[in-house]
Amino acid sequence: MGGAVGRWRRPMGGGGGAVGRLEMAAARGDAEEAAAGGESVPSVPVAPGRAQVFATVVDTFLEKLVAAGSYQRFANCYCCFYKLQPEMTRSIYDQFISQLQTSIKEEIQEVKDEGNLEPLFNSLDKIVEEAKNREEPAWRPSGIPEEDICSAMVPYLLKHRAYLQKILKEKEEENRKVAESVLAGRDRIAELQQLIQARKHAWQLFSNLPPPSSEGGSPGTAV
């Protein structure tokens, strides 16, 4: 995989031409549809997604690879064998090119699967599309790492501090309510204790009273 990937990395710079061809094809397709329908609607070219651009770049690279490794060059490298078996040389060349293209496509697909590139491309397209409606300027690095880190981290830290302050206020309010409830419970307990003591004291006074005495004797008793 390393050799094939190493060979196809450099031509990837031709992606600009591939994107241009995609936009021209989209615009031409819109113009053809408008002409077929008899409508003079101005065509608005739609920018292709990054996944489509990536696939187009890969296809463009394979085309350039086949053009660079033409059959004539292949035959010149094996001129002796070509003179003896030209048809066999052509067959070998076709098989070689076919297997090379298949191998490169499989390796690129493995890279896409391992890196989860397809969802990432779609997510990036969505982020870029949403960013078009933003009015504030986009963040750009200043070139000074300390300032860049501060500018990137300070908003997050401030937001996190505000969140913590909100949580702290909520906990303080909960603690205040709990403290008020505890104090109210203590006051109630003190009132009950006072009531108990008052009733206990009253019961003790009632218990210490002398029993009632009889002033007159029973009838028929001698004095």
Side-chain angles (χ1 to χ4, degrees):
M1 177 177 178
V5 174
R7 287 192 296 271
W8 61 262
R9 278 179 180 170
R10 187 176 62 183
M12 295 290 282
V19 175
R21 285 196 295 273
L22 280 172
E23 295 178 349
M24 291 175 62
R28 185 167 55 252
D30 294 339
E32 291 176 355
E33 291 180 359
E39 299 177 356
S40 59
V41 179
S43 61
V44 179
V46 179
R50 282 165 175 76
Q52 186 178 0
V53 171
F54 183 81
T56 305
V57 169
V58 172
D59 294 339
T60 304
F61 158 72
L62 292 176
E63 293 176 0
K64 292 184 178 181
L65 178 64
V66 173
S70 62
Y71 174 68
Q72 187 61 40
R73 292 184 178 181
F74 184 83
N76 292 336
C77 293
Y78 302 96
C79 57
C80 297
F81 184 76
Y82 170 72
K83 293 178 180 178
L84 295 175
Q85 296 289 340
E87 295 180 357
M88 182 64 68
T89 305
R90 182 69 188 189
S91 176
I92 294 174
Y93 170 79
D94 293 339
Q95 293 181 14
F96 170 74
I97 292 298
S98 176
Q99 292 180 5
L100 180 61
Q101 291 178 332
T102 302
S103 177
I104 292 175
K105 288 182 179 180
E106 290 177 353
E107 291 178 2
I108 293 175
Q109 187 62 40
E110 289 179 4
V111 172
K112 290 175 63 177
D113 295 340
E114 291 177 0
N116 199 25
L117 297 184
E118 195 78 22
L120 292 178
F121 283 147
N122 297 333
S123 177
L124 184 58
D125 292 337
K126 183 178 179 181
I127 292 174
V128 172
E129 189 66 25
E130 292 176 352
K132 293 180 179 179
N133 299 327
R134 295 182 180 177
E135 297 180 357
E136 66 274 8
W139 179 84
R140 292 292 183 272
S142 64
I144 303 175
E146 294 83 359
E147 295 182 0
D148 293 340
I149 292 175
C150 290
S151 63
M153 293 298 296
V154 166
Y156 167 77
L157 295 177
L158 291 176
K159 183 178 179 180
H160 190 61
R161 185 180 69 176
Y163 170 76
L164 293 178
Q165 289 176 345
K166 179 183 177 182
I167 297 299
L168 179 60
K169 289 181 179 180
E170 293 178 355
K171 295 300 180 182
E172 289 177 348
E173 183 66 19
E174 291 179 3
N175 293 338
R176 186 185 63 81
K177 292 181 179 180
V178 171
E180 291 178 354
S181 177
V182 171
L183 293 176
R186 289 179 179 177
D187 294 339
R188 179 60 180 167
I189 291 173
E191 292 176 0
L192 292 176
Q193 288 178 344
Q194 291 177 0
L195 181 61
I196 291 172
Q197 290 295 334
R199 291 185 177 181
K200 179 181 178 181
H201 183 67
W203 179 79
Q204 288 176 347
L205 291 176
F206 181 79
S207 299
N208 292 332
L209 290 176
S213 58
S214 59
E215 296 178 357
S218 60
T221 304
V223 178

